[in-house]
Amino acid sequence: MIKLANVKSCIKYYCGKVISRRYTRKLQTSVREAEIISFDLFDTLIKRNVAKPEHVHKLVQSEFFRQTGIKLTDYEKYRIAAEKRARKKSSEEEISLDEIFDELSELSEEWKNILKKTERQIEIEICTPNLQMQPVYEYALRERKRIIITSDMYLDEYTIRQILRKCGYSIYEKLYLSSSFRLSKSRGSIFEIIKRDYGSCGRNILHIGDNVKGDYVIPRKKGINALLVDGQPELLRYWKKSNKVVLKDQFLYQRLYCFLNNQVGNDYDDAKAIGYEILGPLLLGYCKWLYQKLKDDKIEKIFFLSREGKILQEAFHILYPECEIEQTYLYVSRQALTVPQLADAVDFDEMAEIFKYLVHVPTVSMIPVMCMLDRKIFLEKINQIGLNGSIRIDKISDEKKIGLYNIIQDLGKDEFKRQNQYIVRYLKENNFVGNIGIVDIGWSGTMQKALQTYTDVSSTKLQGYYLGVRNIGLNEQYESLLRHGYIFNTKINEKYNLMTRFTAEIIELLFLNTTGSVLKYNIENSHVIPILDISEYGEREKLFIKSVQMSAFEFLRRANKNVFLIKEAKIPEAIVMNAYCRFAVRPNMSVVRIFNDFKVLNGKVRSILPQYGILHYLTHVRAFRRDFEESSCKIFFLKKIFKINLPYFTLLKLLLFRCDGEKINK
C-alpha cells in the first residue's frame, strides 16, 4: 500500500525539478539584481557524500565500533526514533543534537558523548562543496553582495561553521541556523527574523535553496524573492543512484555514487567522465585488493609490467605512498619475451603456439613483423616454397610448415638466442629473484609464463596479480602458474570474464601507457636497455587517453582524502563492473563514436571499430567474418554496424557456446 507521505514527497520532488529547471537560467541575473543573498546550506551550497541524511548514523555506528569494539545493533533505527521523540516533546520549532541524544536513555552517558562527538565529526567529514552552486556563491562575492546562510538543521553553530570553512564558504555576514534561533524556514519564522534584520532591503533579498516549501513557497509568502535549485541532480553518465544488481553492497554503492556525483563540475567532458566513473573506481578497487593480497602472500618485491603496469603503479603509489614493499617498473612485452623462445622451437607447430600469443588471428605476412625479420627477404623465400602471405598459419599444409620453419630459423635464430641472453641479464640487473609479484592488467598470464622460463625456480617464487585471470582453451599450459584476479578468475565471475573478453580493446586502452611497446633489448653502457616501438597512437588519441587517466588519478587523490572510503577494506567487483557494463557492455552510440577512429596494435595497427557499415558487409560477407574474427572488441563492433539496442552480450555468449561446445556460466 502506497503511503500518503510518500506520494506527497514525490509530488514535491518532481515539482521542485520543474521549478528549478525553469529558474536555474535566472540565477546569475537574479543574484546581480539583489542586495542580500541568502543561501540554503545542505543540497544547495553543501552536498553530503551519503544518499540519505540518516545514512550518517550507519557511519557513526561503524566508527563507534572501530573506536570501542562495541557493536550497536540497529543504531540507525534507534537514533531516528530518538529524533522523532525529541521533536514530539519539544515546544520549539527546532531541536538540538543534545536533545536528540537525551532521548537515547538506554545508552550510558559515556557512550552518548562518544556517539555525539562522532556524529559531529562525521557530518564535517562527509560534506563537500556543491560544484554546481559554488560558482554562484563566488559570483555573489565578486559582485560584492551581502551573503547570509539560512538552514534548518539540529547541528550546533560551531559544527556548521566548521563545515562551511572546510567547503570554502568562509565569507558570509550572518548564519541563520534553526537550532540557534529555535525557528525554522518551513514555518517561515526564520525569514521573519531575516526581514527584521534586513528590513531596509525589502524585496532586494534573494533566497536560494532546494526545498520546494521551505526555500521557495514560504519565503515568497514572506515577501522575500526566492529561486529553487535542483538539490539532487543526477550528473553521472554511467552510475545510477540505486541499483538492484549490487543490492547486498547497496550502502557502499550509494556512497560511491554520491561521492562521484558530488565531484562533477561544469567542465565534464567524455574523457573526464570515463576517467572518473570507470577507470578511477576500477583502480581504487583493484589497488585495495592488490595491497591486501600482497600482504597476505608476504610478497617481497612487486614488478609492474609495461605498458599497462605504468598506470597501475601510479595509482598504487597515490593510494599507498608509504608501502614498504620494493617496487620496480619492468620493461617487457609479449613480443619481447616470447619471440626469443622461437630459438628452441623444434617445429613450426611450436612456433605457431607462440605466434598465437601475439596476434589474435595470425597470418604468414605477420611473421616478419612479430619476429623482426627482414620483410623483403622473408617474402622472397616464402614465394620460393609456394606460400601466400595472406594465408592463416593454422591453414598451412604440413609440407610447407617444414619450409617455413627453416626460413624463420635461418633468418632469426641467432637474434632469438641473443635476445634470450639479454632478457636473463635484464632480469638479473633488476633483482628479479625471491618471493616476487608481477602486476599487470591480465588476462591469461602469457608474460608470467614467459618470465618463468627465464628464472630459477629454486630461488624465485613468482605470482601474478591481475584485473582478471582467464584461460581460453589453454588450461593445461597455465594451471601451474600462481595467478590471482580481482574482477574474475578461472573459477568465479565468468560473466565478467566474458564482458572484458568481448570488450578487451576498450578496457586495455584505458590502462595504456602511450609510449611504444618493447620490441627487444640492447646493451648500452654495460646495461641492458629496452628498445621501444613508436607509439601506434596519434596525438588526439594520446591526449584523450592522458585526460582519461589524469581524471582517474584525480578521483583517487580525492578518494584518498575521504576517510570513510579509504577505510573500506575492499570495493566489491560487482560495484565497479556495474558502471563498466553501462559504459562498454551496453554502450550507446555516443560512447561508440568516441572510439570511432582509435587504433590498436595487435600484430598490426588497425582500427578498433569497423570502417564499413552494414550495407558494405551485406555484400561482402567474407570481409565481415574476417573483420569480426580479428576484432577484440566485438560488442562495439556489432553496435557500430547495427546501431540499434540489441542484447549483444547475450548474443555473443550464445555464439561462443555454439563455437566452443561448452556451457558458459551466467
Side-chain angles (χ1 to χ4, degrees):
M1 186 175 180
I2 300 174
K3 294 182 179 179
L4 183 60
N6 291 340
V7 174
K8 286 182 178 179
S9 178
C10 287
I11 291 172
K12 286 181 181 179
Y13 175 78
Y14 288 109
C15 284
K17 291 280 186 183
V18 172
I19 297 170
S20 64
R21 278 196 291 267
R22 179 182 175 189
Y23 286 106
T24 297
R25 292 188 296 274
K26 295 177 59 178
L27 266 174
Q28 198 170 74
T29 301
S30 299
V31 168
R32 187 169 58 247
E33 293 174 351
E35 184 178 341
I36 308 294
I37 310 298
S38 167
F39 284 103
D40 171 48
L41 188 55
F42 293 100
D43 289 331
T44 301
L45 286 184
I46 300 290
K47 303 287 284 185
R48 282 178 168 127
N49 288 324
V50 288
K52 300 176 182 178
E54 55 265 31
H55 284 178
V56 171
H57 312 321
K58 289 180 181 289
L59 294 175
V60 171
Q61 178 178 316
S62 297
E63 187 62 16
F64 182 80
F65 176 72
R66 191 188 70 81
Q67 291 180 24
T68 67
I70 300 167
K71 187 170 185 179
L72 298 176
T73 307
D74 295 328
Y75 172 73
E76 179 186 6
K77 181 178 71 175
Y78 292 122
R79 168 62 178 77
I80 292 171
E83 183 174 342
K84 288 180 179 178
R85 288 196 299 272
R87 291 190 184 280
K88 190 174 181 179
K89 285 183 180 180
S90 177
S91 59
E92 305 287 353
E93 293 181 19
E94 184 59 278
I95 57 176
S96 68
L97 190 63
D98 289 335
E99 289 172 306
I100 294 171
F101 274 88
D102 285 343
E103 294 300 314
L104 288 169
S105 56
E106 62 270 28
L107 300 180
S108 69
E109 287 301 314
E110 180 186 2
W111 286 12
K112 285 195 285 187
N113 288 335
I114 295 173
L115 288 164
K116 198 182 330 180
K117 180 181 178 181
T118 302
E119 182 168 333
R120 289 190 178 107
Q121 188 58 43
I122 286 176
E123 286 281 11
I124 296 169
E125 292 286 356
I126 65 171
C127 285
T128 188
N130 182 352
L131 298 182
Q132 308 300 311
M133 283 301 297
Q134 199 169 40
V136 179
Y137 168 85
E138 292 169 350
Y139 176 75
L141 286 179
R142 291 196 301 273
E143 291 292 307
R144 300 183 183 278
K145 303 300 178 181
R146 300 169 71 184
I147 295 174
I148 61 177
I149 310 294
T150 309
S151 178
D152 278 351
M153 187 57 178
Y154 51 75
L155 287 173
D156 57 279
E157 189 170 314
Y158 176 76
T159 302
I160 294 297
R161 289 189 186 278
Q162 281 189 297
I163 290 171
L164 285 163
R165 184 162 53 251
K166 177 206 172 189
C167 295
Y169 301 113
S170 55
I171 301 175
Y172 50 92
E173 198 168 282
K174 286 186 180 181
L175 176 60
Y176 289 90
L177 192 62
S178 61
S179 61
S180 297
F181 286 87
R182 295 300 182 123
L183 302 171
S184 70
K185 291 186 302 178
S186 58
R187 296 188 185 182
S189 48
I190 206 162
F191 291 114
E192 294 287 356
I193 301 297
I194 292 172
K195 285 180 67 178
R196 182 196 69 191
D197 292 349
Y198 295 96
S200 60
C201 299
R203 297 289 294 182
N204 285 326
I205 303 174
L206 171 67
H207 179 72
I208 302 171
D210 72 294
N211 185 274
V212 176
K213 180 183 177 183
D215 292 315
Y216 184 73
V217 175
I218 297 300
R220 289 170 74 91
K221 278 186 178 180
K222 296 296 180 179
I224 293 175
N225 283 331
L227 284 178
L228 196 68
V229 295
D230 188 352
Q232 300 179 43
E234 294 200 30
L235 303 171
L236 302 178
R237 302 185 187 185
Y238 309 111
W239 288 65
K240 297 300 178 185
K241 192 169 185 177
S242 62
N243 199 302
K244 294 179 180 179
V245 174
V246 289
L247 188 61
K248 66 178 181 179
D249 299 303
Q250 194 67 216
F251 182 47
L252 176 57
Y253 176 89
Q254 289 183 338
R255 281 160 50 209
L256 264 169
Y257 166 85
C258 291
F259 176 77
L260 285 160
N261 199 52
N262 292 343
Q263 303 299 323
V264 175
N266 295 317
D267 58 343
Y268 203 55
D269 57 22
D270 290 332
K272 288 182 179 177
I274 295 169
Y276 230 82
E277 299 182 40
I278 307 302
L279 183 56
L282 263 174
L283 289 171
L284 177 65
Y286 172 77
C287 288
K288 279 182 169 292
W289 169 85
L290 174 63
Y291 183 70
Q292 190 59 51
K293 286 290 294 178
L294 294 173
K295 289 202 303 181
D296 292 345
D297 295 338
K298 297 180 172 55
I299 295 297
E300 300 164 355
K301 309 167 199 170
I302 46 176
F303 291 84
F304 293 87
L305 306 187
S306 63
R307 296 185 286 176
E308 288 86 349
K310 187 66 175 176
I311 184 175
L312 295 173
Q313 183 182 32
E314 292 184 31
F316 191 78
H317 180 71
I318 289 171
L319 295 172
Y320 302 101
E322 298 179 0
C323 178
E324 67 283 357
I325 303 173
E326 183 182 329
Q327 302 169 39
T328 302
Y329 184 67
L330 200 68
Y331 282 95
V332 290
S333 70
R334 285 181 297 172
Q335 181 176 7
L337 291 177
T338 57
V339 168
Q341 296 176 18
L342 293 171
D344 298 321
V346 297
D347 56 28
F348 183 76
D349 287 335
E350 283 194 13
M351 288 184 167
E353 288 301 317
I354 292 173
F355 295 147
K356 289 175 184 177
Y357 298 147
L358 304 177
V359 181
H360 187 51
V361 184
T363 60
V364 172
S365 62
M366 292 180 184
I367 291 175
V369 178
M370 292 185 285
C371 302
M372 287 177 291
L373 307 177
D374 187 300
R375 180 176 176 80
K376 183 178 180 181
I377 296 175
F378 178 83
L379 292 177
E380 288 176 355
K381 287 185 174 291
I382 65 168
N383 285 335
Q384 291 172 7
I385 63 172
L387 259 180
N388 188 313
S390 62
I391 190 171
R392 287 170 42 162
I393 63 171
D394 58 350
K395 303 296 183 182
I396 301 173
S397 67
D398 291 339
E399 181 184 349
K400 288 188 169 58
K401 283 180 181 179
I402 297 172
L404 184 54
Y405 170 81
N406 291 330
I407 291 171
I408 295 170
Q409 291 289 40
D410 288 345
L411 295 178
K413 188 166 186 175
D414 290 343
E415 181 62 18
F416 300 155
K417 288 183 176 180
R418 187 179 301 112
Q419 287 300 311
N420 200 307
Q421 295 167 358
Y422 287 168
I423 293 169
V424 172
R425 183 170 170 180
Y426 178 63
L427 295 177
K428 186 176 181 180
E429 287 179 1
N430 281 279
N431 199 23
F432 198 81
V433 65
N435 187 18
I436 61 179
I438 58 172
V439 177
D440 195 10
I441 187 173
W443 306 100
S444 60
T446 301
M447 286 202 284
Q448 181 179 348
K449 183 173 180 290
L451 284 166
Q452 199 127 307
T453 64
Y454 298 106
T455 59
D456 181 357
V457 294
S458 65
S459 60
T460 303
K461 182 181 180 181
L462 181 60
Q463 300 193 58
Y465 300 90
Y466 307 107
L467 273 183
V469 173
R470 71 166 64 107
N471 288 339
I472 307 174
L474 299 170
N475 293 31
E476 70 284 352
Q477 297 185 33
Y478 290 87
E479 56 189 21
S480 64
L481 300 180
L482 295 172
R483 298 170 297 162
H484 313 282
Y486 163 55
I487 298 173
F488 62 89
N489 60 41
T490 56
K491 296 180 180 178
I492 64 168
N493 292 338
E494 176 66 11
K495 66 177 180 179
Y496 297 150
N497 170 17
L498 296 179
M499 286 175 182
T500 57
R501 181 175 171 182
F502 297 150
T503 59
E505 288 170 349
I506 294 297
I507 194 168
E508 289 174 10
L509 184 68
L510 302 184
F511 286 81
L512 192 65
N513 179 356
T514 53
T515 59
S517 179
V518 179
L519 290 173
K520 59 180 182 178
Y521 301 91
N522 209 343
I523 300 292
E524 188 174 293
N525 297 325
S526 301
H527 290 288
V528 178
I529 61 166
I531 305 299
L532 305 183
D533 196 0
I534 59 173
S535 175
E536 65 269 36
Y537 294 96
E539 286 306 311
R540 183 186 70 85
E541 295 157 321
K542 287 180 181 178
L543 287 173
F544 184 84
I545 294 167
K546 183 177 180 180
S547 181
V548 168
Q549 295 177 353
M550 290 303 102
S551 181
F553 292 152
E554 181 59 27
F555 164 82
L556 293 178
R557 280 187 279 269
R558 293 184 183 182
N560 210 21
K561 294 177 182 177
N562 186 306
V563 295
F564 302 107
L565 275 184
I566 212 62
K567 283 178 184 176
E568 290 290 337
K570 62 175 290 189
I571 307 296
E573 63 279 2
I575 289 179
V576 295
M577 282 303 291
N578 195 263
Y580 183 78
C581 288
R582 284 200 178 87
F583 163 65
V585 182
R586 298 189 298 271
N588 57 41
M589 281 306 298
S590 63
V591 173
V592 173
R593 291 188 195 100
I594 294 171
F595 302 99
N596 196 47
D597 298 321
F598 274 54
K599 293 178 172 56
V600 292
L601 179 64
N602 192 349
K604 62 179 180 179
V605 176
R606 59 178 182 75
S607 298
I608 289 179
L609 299 178
Q611 298 304 292
Y612 303 103
I614 189 169
L615 293 178
H616 174 85
Y617 283 127
L618 283 173
T619 55
H620 298 79
V621 177
R622 287 185 179 178
F624 171 81
R625 181 173 181 175
R626 180 199 64 226
D627 293 349
F628 180 71
E629 285 180 350
E630 288 186 359
S631 174
S632 292
C633 193
K634 289 180 168 42
I635 288 178
F636 275 58
F637 184 97
L638 295 174
K639 180 72 174 183
K640 170 74 184 297
I641 292 174
F642 297 109
K643 295 182 171 55
I644 60 175
N645 291 328
L646 292 173
Y648 297 109
F649 176 68
T650 302
L651 293 172
L652 287 167
K653 279 206 303 181
L654 292 173
L655 180 62
L656 186 65
F657 174 84
R658 183 177 179 183
C659 293
D660 290 356
E662 62 183 24
K663 184 178 179 180
I664 301 299
N665 295 326
K666 293 183 179 180

